[in-house]
Amino acid sequence: MNTVRHIHFVGIKGVGMAPLAIIAKEAGFVVSGSDIAKTFITDESLNKKGIIPFAGFEEGHVNGADLVITTGAHSGYDNVEVKFAKAHNIPVWTQGEAVGKFMTGELFHHSYKGISVGGTHGKTTTTAMIASVLSFAGLDPSWVIGTSHIPSLGMSGNFGKGEYFVAEADEYANEPVYDKTPKMLLQHPDIVVITNVEHDHPDVYPTLQSSYDAFVAFANLVPKNGMLVTCGDDVGVQEVLNQYRGNVVTYGFSKENDYCITLGATYLGKMIWEIRHNNTSTTLGLAIPGEHNVLNATAAYIIGVQCRIAQDVIKKALLSFQGTKRRMEYVGQMASGALLYDDYAHHPTEIKKTLTAFREKYPESSIVCIFQPHTFSRTKLLFDQFVDSLSLADEIIMTDIYSSEREAFDSSISSGMLAEKIAEKKPAFLAKTLTDVVKYVKGKAYKDKTIVITMGAGDVYQIANDILQ
């Protein structure tokens, strides 16, 4: 690795890839990359770092590279650029391998203490909270977070000079066709955080038990002198803890947890809660809504304590946290008066928690959810749960399923089926294309005391400006 000067990223616009490219650039490497020409939320961040991706994939894009890092999307190992690299003996890492190797400091001649944050939901926000606490404390951490802009941090990737490397740990497959190893198992943490465990990614985890097994393996990455920090209230986490024998700290609302949460009244729009631990208590505040974010922030608080950061510093860092891109993100006010938000929620549990948080924040408003399902396999597996969660909105506008490049078309499931079932409970409409959605929303001209939310892991967020104009 001492000979690496130029790193090329295949699929550089992905939310898992862009942070790595930013770190490499900040560390002094020559960085190039390629991706499809389509707009991504990471475009702005890459441009700010002077990283201009090639449009499309061609062998010539790899010329001069000493190392290639590839996404699992865009054909993974079968991508033309990856094949070229392998044929010319250029080392190839997957995104998951790269996160693990960056965490070791192998490329940077630097030794890190790794903090890996995994879970079916909440890992992006929790990772951002932890990085924000460490950064606020002046510890100059490195981080890899699967989004784009983060108000409290700036970029989704950072090459820090401090001792901590904080990384979001993705449970998806390292390479969907050739290597089903969960990416999170390629990291090298001293501390592991698990927010929760549910069944997701049925193309990789055919059963709930297979999800449990993967997270047990993830927990077992913790060294003897390390620690697992996890939400003891979560049923899936309890299954993991039944098979884990290392050091563990639990948090949650149950009194059986090491850190027990008691919610207080919301004050001036801020979530307030008390944490009791070892017969002592402390009060924390958070400027973003939702009990799920109280749990995420409590995990970040515990990490701050483990890193010996002063209580008042942790409290100030969490209170100043403003969320991340595409997580309950305020976009603007429509000309007709309604407020427009955007959220990445794409699993029924995430949808439920997000809509509940909006209901608590705007108790007198009507909630309109524009939902774009993500992947045929997830929509089919969790169909009934999607119906129940989306029915928490007052009106649901459904658009076509956003299919992942890693799966084939499945005619046995559709957004229309989902809309038809939801319509038995709440007003639900199918607007097949995003253009149809914009026309429908403009025609409705939603007024004051209406919250409109674009929601999903695909490209539904891109219609925000059209809706606002």
Side-chain angles (χ1 to χ4, degrees), residues 437-451:
V437 172
V438 174
K439 289 179 180 178
Y440 180 86
V441 171
K442 288 191 173 184
K444 293 286 286 189
Y446 295 106
K447 306 297 183 185
D448 296 340
K449 291 194 174 181
T450 303
I451 308 301

Side-chain angles (χ1 to χ4, degrees), residues 131-399:
S132 296
V133 168
L134 297 175
S135 184
F136 195 91
L139 298 182
D140 193 19
S142 300
W143 61 76
V144 175
I145 305 171
T147 184
S148 55
H149 180 70
I150 304 164
S152 59
L153 296 170
M155 297 287 183
S156 59
N158 184 66
F159 175 61
K161 304 298 172 55
E163 63 178 326
Y164 294 104
F165 193 106
V166 190
E168 184 173 336
D170 188 356
E171 71 272 24
Y172 196 69
N174 182 43
E175 209 284 351
V177 176
Y178 298 101
D179 183 3
K180 299 286 188 179
T181 303
K183 290 194 281 185
M184 61 189 178
L185 300 187
L186 303 174
Q187 297 191 15
H188 303 277
D190 295 277
I191 298 174
V192 163
V193 178
I194 300 178
T195 56
N196 43 62
V197 180
E198 283 195 276
H199 197 189
D200 196 11
H201 303 301
D203 54 330
V204 174
Y205 301 107
T207 64
L208 180 56
Q209 185 60 50
S210 60
S211 296
Y212 292 155
D213 292 343
F215 279 97
V216 169
F218 181 48
N220 284 329
L221 293 180
V222 177
K224 288 184 179 180
N225 61 343
M227 181 173 291
L228 171 65
V229 177
T230 190
C231 180
D233 293 347
D234 186 74
V235 174
V237 165
Q238 292 169 10
E239 292 289 337
V240 171
L241 292 180
N242 286 339
Q243 301 180 61
Y244 176 72
R245 299 293 177 264
N247 297 324
V248 61
V249 173
T250 61
Y251 61 90
F253 296 99
S254 168
K255 293 181 180 179
E256 297 177 356
N257 290 296
D258 298 308
Y259 287 80
C260 179
I261 300 167
T262 301
L263 282 177
T266 301
Y267 179 70
L268 296 177
K270 295 179 175 61
M271 301 289 292
I272 306 295
W273 72 102
E274 181 185 66
I275 298 176
R276 292 194 63 81
H277 173 66
N278 288 341
N279 297 318
T280 64
S281 65
T282 188
T283 301
L284 298 177
L286 192 65
I288 57 176
E291 291 185 12
H292 60 298
N293 281 321
V294 168
L295 289 169
N296 296 338
T298 300
Y301 169 83
I302 294 168
I303 298 299
V305 170
Q306 296 300 318
C307 294
R308 300 180 180 178
I309 299 172
Q311 293 267 330
D312 63 325
V313 174
I314 301 174
K315 291 180 180 181
K316 289 177 182 177
L318 291 175
L319 195 55
S320 65
F321 184 78
Q322 297 295 319
T324 70
K325 184 75 173 174
R326 299 218 63 217
R327 270 70 178 181
M328 295 187 73
E329 179 189 6
Y330 176 66
V331 180
Q333 186 170 23
M334 296 166 57
S336 55
L339 302 181
L340 180 64
Y341 281 83
D342 177 56
D343 196 89
Y344 190 72
H346 56 283
H347 183 283
T349 298
E350 296 165 352
I351 295 166
K352 181 178 180 180
K353 290 180 178 180
T354 300
L355 291 177
T356 299
F358 273 112
R359 186 71 71 190
E360 292 170 352
K361 184 177 177 66
Y362 297 104
E364 298 180 359
S365 294
S366 176
I367 296 176
V368 179
C369 181
I370 302 169
F371 184 63
Q372 182 186 55
H374 185 251
T375 76
F376 293 102
S377 56
R378 180 186 289 115
T379 307
K380 189 172 184 176
L381 176 74
L382 305 175
F383 185 90
D384 291 338
Q385 293 97 310
F386 276 116
V387 172
D388 291 340
S389 294
L390 288 165
S391 296
L392 292 174
D394 298 297
E395 181 180 341
I396 301 91
I397 304 167
M398 194 75 59
T399 188

